[in-house]
Amino acid sequence: MKTEPSEFSIEDLQRVKTEPWDGVRNYQARNFMRDDMRVGDRVLFYHSNAKPSGVAGVAEICREAYPDFTAWDPGNKHFDPKTDPKKPTWMMVDVRFIKEFPSVVSLEAMKLNPKLAGMLVLKRGMRLSIQPVEPAHFREVVKMAGLGFTHLF
DNA sequence: GCCAACGTTGGC
DNA sequence: GCCAACGTTGGC
Protein backbone atom coordinates (compact mmCIF):
# COMPACT_ATOMS: atom_id res chain seq x y z
CA MET A 1 0.00 0.00 0.00
CA LYS A 2 1.45 3.33 -1.09
CA THR A 3 1.28 6.58 0.80
CA GLU A 4 3.11 9.86 0.67
CA PRO A 5 4.84 10.14 4.04
CA SER A 6 4.16 13.88 4.12
CA GLU A 7 0.48 12.91 4.18
CA PHE A 8 0.61 9.74 6.28
CA SER A 9 3.80 7.88 7.16
CA ILE A 10 4.72 4.65 8.91
CA GLU A 11 5.52 6.77 11.98
CA ASP A 12 2.01 8.18 11.86
CA LEU A 13 0.62 4.65 11.70
CA GLN A 14 2.74 3.63 14.67
CA ARG A 15 1.37 6.57 16.63
CA VAL A 16 -2.30 5.92 15.88
CA LYS A 17 -1.95 2.08 15.81
CA THR A 18 -4.77 1.61 13.28
CA GLU A 19 -6.00 3.76 10.41
CA PRO A 20 -8.91 3.65 7.96
CA TRP A 21 -7.39 3.64 4.47
CA ASP A 22 -9.74 6.25 3.05
CA GLY A 23 -9.39 8.28 -0.10
CA VAL A 24 -8.71 5.53 -2.64
CA ARG A 25 -10.46 6.66 -5.83
CA ASN A 26 -9.23 4.14 -8.33
CA TYR A 27 -11.34 1.15 -9.32
CA GLN A 28 -8.53 -1.36 -9.59
CA ALA A 29 -7.12 -0.39 -6.20
CA ARG A 30 -10.60 -0.56 -4.69
CA ASN A 31 -11.11 -4.02 -6.15
CA PHE A 32 -7.91 -5.28 -4.56
CA MET A 33 -9.08 -4.00 -1.18
CA ARG A 34 -12.60 -5.35 -1.57
CA ASP A 35 -11.86 -8.71 -3.16
CA ASP A 36 -8.41 -9.75 -1.99
CA MET A 37 -7.71 -8.25 1.43
CA ARG A 38 -8.65 -10.25 4.52
CA VAL A 39 -8.11 -9.62 8.21
CA GLY A 40 -4.59 -10.62 9.15
CA ASP A 41 -3.14 -10.14 5.65
CA ARG A 42 0.26 -8.48 5.81
CA VAL A 43 1.01 -5.28 3.95
CA LEU A 44 4.20 -3.73 2.66
CA PHE A 45 3.88 -0.08 3.66
CA TYR A 46 5.38 1.98 0.83
CA HIS A 47 6.45 5.61 0.98
CA SER A 48 6.07 7.34 -2.38
CA ASN A 49 7.33 10.80 -3.31
CA ALA A 50 9.85 10.37 -0.51
CA LYS A 51 13.58 10.51 0.00
CA PRO A 52 14.11 7.76 -0.62
CA SER A 53 10.93 6.19 -1.91
CA GLY A 54 10.55 2.58 -0.85
CA VAL A 55 9.09 0.17 1.66
CA ALA A 56 9.14 1.71 5.12
CA GLY A 57 7.62 -1.10 7.15
CA VAL A 58 4.94 -3.71 7.57
CA ALA A 59 1.29 -3.38 8.51
CA GLU A 60 -1.70 -5.70 8.48
CA ILE A 61 -5.33 -5.58 7.53
CA CYS A 62 -7.47 -5.38 10.67
CA ARG A 63 -10.88 -4.70 9.09
CA GLU A 64 -12.17 -5.85 5.74
CA ALA A 65 -13.60 -3.55 3.08
CA TYR A 66 -16.43 -1.22 4.07
CA PRO A 67 -17.81 1.97 2.52
CA ASP A 68 -15.45 4.94 2.43
CA PHE A 69 -17.70 7.57 3.92
CA THR A 70 -15.33 10.40 3.01
CA ALA A 71 -16.65 10.01 -0.55
CA TRP A 72 -19.92 11.76 0.36
CA ASP A 73 -18.50 14.34 2.76
CA PRO A 74 -18.41 17.62 0.80
CA GLY A 75 -15.77 18.97 3.16
CA ASN A 76 -13.42 16.09 2.49
CA LYS A 77 -10.52 16.33 0.09
CA HIS A 78 -11.61 13.09 -1.55
CA PHE A 79 -15.28 14.04 -1.87
CA ASP A 80 -16.86 12.40 -4.89
CA PRO A 81 -20.17 14.10 -5.80
CA LYS A 82 -21.11 11.31 -8.18
CA THR A 83 -21.40 8.67 -5.48
CA ASP A 84 -24.57 7.76 -3.63
CA PRO A 85 -24.30 6.82 0.07
CA LYS A 86 -27.02 4.23 -0.53
CA LYS A 87 -24.84 2.58 -3.17
CA PRO A 88 -21.25 3.27 -2.11
CA THR A 89 -18.73 3.24 -4.94
CA TRP A 90 -15.59 3.57 -2.86
CA MET A 91 -14.40 1.23 -0.15
CA MET A 92 -11.65 1.18 2.42
CA VAL A 93 -10.01 -1.25 4.81
CA ASP A 94 -8.45 -0.60 8.20
CA VAL A 95 -4.72 -1.06 8.57
CA ARG A 96 -2.79 -1.83 11.76
CA PHE A 97 0.84 -1.03 12.51
CA ILE A 98 3.20 -3.99 12.78
CA LYS A 99 6.76 -2.80 12.27
CA GLU A 100 8.82 0.09 11.02
CA PHE A 101 11.93 -1.03 9.16
CA PRO A 102 15.27 0.13 10.66
CA SER A 103 15.75 1.92 7.34
CA VAL A 104 13.64 2.21 4.21
CA VAL A 105 14.15 -0.53 1.62
CA SER A 106 14.55 1.85 -1.28
CA LEU A 107 13.01 1.46 -4.69
CA GLU A 108 16.53 1.68 -6.08
CA ALA A 109 17.73 -1.25 -3.96
CA MET A 110 14.66 -3.26 -4.89
CA LYS A 111 15.32 -2.72 -8.59
CA LEU A 112 18.84 -4.08 -8.12
CA ASN A 113 17.66 -7.27 -6.43
CA PRO A 114 17.13 -10.04 -8.99
CA LYS A 115 14.90 -11.92 -6.56
CA LEU A 116 12.36 -9.11 -6.89
CA ALA A 117 12.21 -9.34 -10.68
CA GLY A 118 8.63 -9.05 -11.82
CA MET A 119 7.39 -7.29 -8.71
CA LEU A 120 4.59 -4.94 -9.78
CA VAL A 121 5.86 -1.86 -7.98
CA LEU A 122 9.06 -2.03 -10.04
CA LYS A 123 7.23 -1.87 -13.35
CA ARG A 124 7.51 1.32 -15.30
CA GLY A 125 4.44 3.47 -15.13
CA MET A 126 2.94 1.42 -12.28
CA ARG A 127 0.96 4.01 -10.36
CA LEU A 128 -1.58 1.85 -8.60
CA SER A 129 -1.64 2.76 -4.93
CA ILE A 130 -2.61 -0.76 -3.90
CA GLN A 131 -0.94 -3.77 -5.44
CA PRO A 132 -0.83 -7.50 -4.71
CA VAL A 133 2.57 -8.82 -3.61
CA GLU A 134 3.91 -12.35 -4.10
CA PRO A 135 4.73 -14.06 -0.78
CA ALA A 136 8.31 -14.68 -1.92
CA HIS A 137 8.71 -10.99 -2.80
CA PHE A 138 7.24 -9.99 0.54
CA ARG A 139 9.72 -12.19 2.41
CA GLU A 140 12.61 -10.89 0.34
CA VAL A 141 11.78 -7.25 1.09
CA VAL A 142 11.57 -8.04 4.81
CA LYS A 143 14.94 -9.76 4.51
CA MET A 144 16.43 -6.71 2.76
CA ALA A 145 15.29 -4.67 5.76
CA GLY A 146 17.54 -6.87 7.88
CA LEU A 147 14.58 -8.48 9.58
CA GLY A 148 13.30 -12.01 9.81
CA PHE A 149 9.94 -13.68 10.11
CA THR A 150 10.00 -13.48 13.91
CA HIS A 151 10.27 -9.71 13.88
CA LEU A 152 6.78 -9.51 12.46
CA PHE A 153 5.04 -11.42 15.23
C1' DG B 1 9.99 21.27 -11.40
C1' DC B 2 9.78 18.10 -15.34
C1' DC B 3 7.46 14.83 -17.70
C1' DA B 4 6.08 9.88 -18.88
C1' DA B 5 2.46 6.94 -18.02
C1' DC B 6 -1.97 6.16 -17.12
C1' DG B 7 -7.05 7.00 -15.84
C1' DT B 8 -11.10 9.76 -16.61
C1' DT B 9 -14.08 12.89 -18.97
C1' DG B 10 -16.91 14.51 -22.43
C1' DG B 11 -17.77 16.05 -27.29
C1' DC B 12 -19.01 14.00 -31.29
C1' DG C 1 -17.78 3.81 -28.98
C1' DC C 2 -13.79 6.68 -30.26
C1' DC C 3 -10.35 9.54 -28.84
C1' DA C 4 -8.41 14.19 -27.66
C1' DA C 5 -7.94 16.83 -23.72
C1' DC C 6 -7.17 17.01 -19.21
C1' DG C 7 -5.88 15.58 -14.42
C1' DT C 8 -3.05 12.72 -11.41
C1' DT C 9 0.78 9.91 -9.96
C1' DG C 10 5.26 9.53 -8.77
C1' DG C 11 10.19 8.74 -10.12
C1' DC C 12 13.82 11.47 -11.16
Tab-separated table of all heavy atoms in Angstrom, chain C:
chain	number	residue	atom	x	y	z
C	1	DG	P	-20.224	0.262	-26.880
C	1	DG	OP1	-20.613	-1.005	-27.212
C	1	DG	OP2	-19.590	0.747	-25.704
C	1	DG	O5'	-19.517	1.071	-28.040
C	1	DG	C5'	-19.201	0.661	-29.322
C	1	DG	C4'	-18.233	1.657	-29.845
C	1	DG	O4'	-18.756	3.013	-29.669
C	1	DG	C3'	-16.863	1.654	-29.168
C	1	DG	O3'	-15.926	1.868	-30.204
C	1	DG	C2'	-16.934	2.823	-28.195
C	1	DG	C1'	-17.780	3.810	-28.976
C	1	DG	N9	-18.516	4.776	-28.162
C	1	DG	C8	-19.201	4.553	-27.000
C	1	DG	N7	-19.755	5.615	-26.510
C	1	DG	C5	-19.424	6.622	-27.412
C	1	DG	C6	-19.730	8.008	-27.413
C	1	DG	O6	-20.399	8.640	-26.587
C	1	DG	N1	-19.194	8.670	-28.518
C	1	DG	C2	-18.455	8.055	-29.483
C	1	DG	N2	-18.022	8.844	-30.465
C	1	DG	N3	-18.148	6.762	-29.501
C	1	DG	C4	-18.650	6.108	-28.433
C	2	DC	P	-14.429	1.594	-30.068
C	2	DC	OP1	-14.026	0.629	-31.092
C	2	DC	OP2	-14.101	1.385	-28.646
C	2	DC	O5'	-13.896	3.021	-30.508
C	2	DC	C5'	-14.329	3.558	-31.762
C	2	DC	C4'	-13.840	4.979	-31.882
C	2	DC	O4'	-14.638	5.848	-31.040
C	2	DC	C3'	-12.385	5.183	-31.469
C	2	DC	O3'	-11.756	5.951	-32.473
C	2	DC	C2'	-12.483	5.917	-30.128
C	2	DC	C1'	-13.791	6.683	-30.261
C	2	DC	N1	-14.523	6.950	-29.004
C	2	DC	C2	-14.956	8.255	-28.734
C	2	DC	O2	-14.704	9.158	-29.546
C	2	DC	N3	-15.645	8.501	-27.605
C	2	DC	C4	-15.926	7.500	-26.748
C	2	DC	N4	-16.619	7.785	-25.647
C	2	DC	C5	-15.488	6.159	-26.997
C	2	DC	C6	-14.802	5.932	-28.128
C	3	DC	P	-10.167	6.011	-32.596
C	3	DC	OP1	-9.830	6.256	-34.014
C	3	DC	OP2	-9.584	4.880	-31.864
C	3	DC	O5'	-9.845	7.344	-31.786
C	3	DC	C5'	-10.411	8.580	-32.207
C	3	DC	C4'	-10.148	9.626	-31.142
C	3	DC	O4'	-11.077	9.452	-30.049
C	3	DC	C3'	-8.756	9.542	-30.519
C	3	DC	O3'	-8.292	10.853	-30.298
C	3	DC	C2'	-9.014	8.873	-29.184
C	3	DC	C1'	-10.346	9.538	-28.839
C	3	DC	N1	-11.106	8.890	-27.755
C	3	DC	C2	-12.004	9.660	-27.018
C	3	DC	O2	-12.137	10.850	-27.303
C	3	DC	N3	-12.698	9.091	-26.014
C	3	DC	C4	-12.520	7.793	-25.727
C	3	DC	N4	-13.221	7.267	-24.745
C	3	DC	C5	-11.601	6.989	-26.468
C	3	DC	C6	-10.924	7.576	-27.459
C	4	DA	P	-6.979	11.381	-31.041
C	4	DA	OP1	-7.121	11.171	-32.489
C	4	DA	OP2	-5.846	10.808	-30.310
C	4	DA	O5'	-7.034	12.940	-30.750
C	4	DA	C5'	-8.231	13.658	-31.054
C	4	DA	C4'	-8.507	14.675	-29.967
C	4	DA	O4'	-9.176	14.030	-28.843
C	4	DA	C3'	-7.256	15.340	-29.390
C	4	DA	O3'	-7.593	16.690	-29.136
C	4	DA	C2'	-6.990	14.541	-28.107
C	4	DA	C1'	-8.408	14.192	-27.660
C	4	DA	N9	-8.548	12.949	-26.912
C	4	DA	C8	-7.881	11.767	-27.099
C	4	DA	N7	-8.256	10.802	-26.284
C	4	DA	C5	-9.232	11.395	-25.512
C	4	DA	C6	-10.037	10.905	-24.453
C	4	DA	N6	-9.969	9.658	-23.997
C	4	DA	N1	-10.925	11.763	-23.882
C	4	DA	C2	-10.988	13.014	-24.350
C	4	DA	N3	-10.295	13.592	-25.338
C	4	DA	C4	-9.427	12.714	-25.870
C	5	DA	P	-6.529	17.742	-28.608
C	5	DA	OP1	-6.736	19.013	-29.316
C	5	DA	OP2	-5.202	17.083	-28.587
C	5	DA	O5'	-7.020	17.937	-27.113
C	5	DA	C5'	-8.373	18.311	-26.875
C	5	DA	C4'	-8.625	18.325	-25.389
C	5	DA	O4'	-8.727	16.971	-24.892
C	5	DA	C3'	-7.520	18.999	-24.566
C	5	DA	O3'	-8.138	19.909	-23.675
C	5	DA	C2'	-6.825	17.835	-23.856
C	5	DA	C1'	-7.942	16.826	-23.723
C	5	DA	N9	-7.511	15.425	-23.681
C	5	DA	C8	-6.576	14.808	-24.471
C	5	DA	N7	-6.424	13.525	-24.213
C	5	DA	C5	-7.312	13.287	-23.188
C	5	DA	C6	-7.629	12.113	-22.468
C	5	DA	N6	-7.065	10.934	-22.683
C	5	DA	N1	-8.566	12.217	-21.501
C	5	DA	C2	-9.138	13.410	-21.278
C	5	DA	N3	-8.920	14.577	-21.887
C	5	DA	C4	-7.987	14.441	-22.843
C	6	DC	P	-7.255	20.918	-22.791
C	6	DC	OP1	-8.001	22.192	-22.710
C	6	DC	OP2	-5.853	20.880	-23.251
C	6	DC	O5'	-7.338	20.211	-21.374
C	6	DC	C5'	-8.618	19.806	-20.875
C	6	DC	C4'	-8.421	18.853	-19.724
C	6	DC	O4'	-7.967	17.583	-20.215
C	6	DC	C3'	-7.368	19.311	-18.707
C	6	DC	O3'	-8.015	19.496	-17.470
C	6	DC	C2'	-6.359	18.160	-18.670
C	6	DC	C1'	-7.169	17.006	-19.207
C	6	DC	N1	-6.363	15.918	-19.817
C	6	DC	C2	-6.519	14.613	-19.333
C	6	DC	O2	-7.313	14.396	-18.409
C	6	DC	N3	-5.794	13.601	-19.891
C	6	DC	C4	-4.955	13.854	-20.883
C	6	DC	N4	-4.271	12.845	-21.406
C	6	DC	C5	-4.774	15.175	-21.390
C	6	DC	C6	-5.487	16.167	-20.838
C	7	DG	P	-7.247	20.104	-16.219
C	7	DG	OP1	-8.168	21.009	-15.528
C	7	DG	OP2	-5.892	20.542	-16.617
C	7	DG	O5'	-7.088	18.786	-15.340
C	7	DG	C5'	-8.239	18.038	-14.961
C	7	DG	C4'	-7.802	16.884	-14.097
C	7	DG	O4'	-7.155	15.887	-14.932
C	7	DG	C3'	-6.786	17.263	-13.022
C	7	DG	O3'	-7.140	16.604	-11.815
C	7	DG	C2'	-5.451	16.777	-13.580
C	7	DG	C1'	-5.876	15.580	-14.419
C	7	DG	N9	-5.011	15.306	-15.558
C	7	DG	C8	-4.547	16.199	-16.492
C	7	DG	N7	-3.797	15.654	-17.407
C	7	DG	C5	-3.753	14.314	-17.059
C	7	DG	C6	-3.083	13.224	-17.679
C	7	DG	O6	-2.388	13.227	-18.685
C	7	DG	N1	-3.303	12.040	-16.996
C	7	DG	C2	-4.062	11.916	-15.858
C	7	DG	N2	-4.156	10.697	-15.336
C	7	DG	N3	-4.690	12.924	-15.268
C	7	DG	C4	-4.488	14.088	-15.922
C	8	DT	P	-6.231	16.725	-10.513
C	8	DT	OP1	-7.161	16.713	-9.371
C	8	DT	OP2	-5.252	17.820	-10.694
C	8	DT	O5'	-5.432	15.354	-10.524
C	8	DT	C5'	-6.159	14.133	-10.585
C	8	DT	C4'	-5.177	12.989	-10.480
C	8	DT	O4'	-4.416	12.884	-11.707
C	8	DT	C3'	-4.152	13.129	-9.351
C	8	DT	O3'	-4.152	11.887	-8.670
C	8	DT	C2'	-2.837	13.426	-10.075
C	8	DT	C1'	-3.053	12.722	-11.412
C	8	DT	N1	-2.311	13.257	-12.584
C	8	DT	C2	-1.605	12.377	-13.374
C	8	DT	O2	-1.543	11.187	-13.131
C	8	DT	N3	-0.989	12.943	-14.453
C	8	DT	C4	-1.006	14.267	-14.819
C	8	DT	O4	-0.415	14.662	-15.817
C	8	DT	C5	-1.758	15.149	-13.946
C	8	DT	C7	-1.832	16.602	-14.247
C	8	DT	C6	-2.373	14.606	-12.885
C	9	DT	P	-3.309	11.701	-7.344
C	9	DT	OP1	-4.155	10.912	-6.438
C	9	DT	OP2	-2.693	12.975	-6.929
C	9	DT	O5'	-2.126	10.760	-7.844
C	9	DT	C5'	-2.427	9.574	-8.540
C	9	DT	C4'	-1.138	8.972	-9.033
C	9	DT	O4'	-0.612	9.768	-10.114
C	9	DT	C3'	-0.029	8.892	-7.978
C	9	DT	O3'	0.404	7.549	-7.983
C	9	DT	C2'	1.037	9.896	-8.463
C	9	DT	C1'	0.783	9.913	-9.959
C	9	DT	N1	1.122	11.133	-10.723
C	9	DT	C2	1.786	10.988	-11.911
C	9	DT	O2	2.144	9.906	-12.345
C	9	DT	N3	2.012	12.155	-12.595
C	9	DT	C4	1.645	13.430	-12.218
C	9	DT	O4	1.898	14.389	-12.918
C	9	DT	C5	0.954	13.512	-10.952
C	9	DT	C7	0.526	14.844	-10.443
C	9	DT	C6	0.723	12.391	-10.281
C	10	DG	P	1.212	6.958	-6.804
C	10	DG	OP1	1.073	5.501	-6.838
C	10	DG	OP2	0.884	7.722	-5.591
C	10	DG	O5'	2.701	7.315	-7.204
C	10	DG	C5'	3.280	6.667	-8.335
C	10	DG	C4'	4.569	7.348	-8.642
C	10	DG	O4'	4.320	8.614	-9.277
C	10	DG	C3'	5.437	7.665	-7.410
C	10	DG	O3'	6.744	7.278	-7.713
C	10	DG	C2'	5.343	9.175	-7.287
C	10	DG	C1'	5.255	9.529	-8.766
C	10	DG	N9	4.837	10.888	-9.059
C	10	DG	C8	4.123	11.750	-8.279
C	10	DG	N7	3.943	12.926	-8.838
C	10	DG	C5	4.563	12.810	-10.059
C	10	DG	C6	4.712	13.750	-11.106
C	10	DG	O6	4.294	14.896	-11.172
C	10	DG	N1	5.434	13.235	-12.195
C	10	DG	C2	5.943	11.958	-12.246
C	10	DG	N2	6.607	11.620	-13.356
C	10	DG	N3	5.821	11.074	-11.262
C	10	DG	C4	5.130	11.567	-10.209
C	11	DG	P	7.746	6.744	-6.639
C	11	DG	OP1	7.290	5.469	-6.126
C	11	DG	OP2	8.051	7.835	-5.699
C	11	DG	O5'	8.993	6.511	-7.577
C	11	DG	C5'	8.821	5.827	-8.813
C	11	DG	C4'	9.720	6.451	-9.858
C	11	DG	O4'	9.189	7.739	-10.273
C	11	DG	C3'	11.142	6.704	-9.392
C	11	DG	O3'	12.020	6.366	-10.448
C	11	DG	C2'	11.162	8.195	-9.075
C	11	DG	C1'	10.195	8.744	-10.121
C	11	DG	N9	9.516	9.974	-9.722
C	11	DG	C8	8.849	10.208	-8.539
C	11	DG	N7	8.314	11.393	-8.468
C	11	DG	C5	8.656	11.995	-9.685
C	11	DG	C6	8.359	13.301	-10.175
C	11	DG	O6	7.719	14.190	-9.620
C	11	DG	N1	8.893	13.509	-11.443
C	11	DG	C2	9.620	12.558	-12.148
C	11	DG	N2	10.058	12.946	-13.346
C	11	DG	N3	9.905	11.344	-11.693
C	11	DG	C4	9.391	11.129	-10.464
C	12	DC	P	13.567	6.104	-10.206
C	12	DC	OP1	13.976	5.133	-11.233
C	12	DC	OP2	13.805	5.838	-8.774
C	12	DC	O5'	14.199	7.511	-10.550
C	12	DC	C5'	14.160	7.955	-11.911
C	12	DC	C4'	14.458	9.420	-11.956
C	12	DC	O4'	13.339	10.166	-11.432
C	12	DC	C3'	15.614	9.861	-11.052
C	12	DC	O3'	16.840	9.745	-11.772
C	12	DC	C2'	15.280	11.319	-10.753
C	12	DC	C1'	13.821	11.470	-11.162
C	12	DC	N1	12.979	12.082	-10.119
C	12	DC	C2	12.464	13.347	-10.343
C	12	DC	O2	12.732	13.920	-11.405
C	12	DC	N3	11.697	13.936	-9.391
C	12	DC	C4	11.431	13.280	-8.268
C	12	DC	N4	10.659	13.886	-7.369
C	12	DC	C5	11.938	11.984	-8.014
C	12	DC	C6	12.706	11.416	-8.960
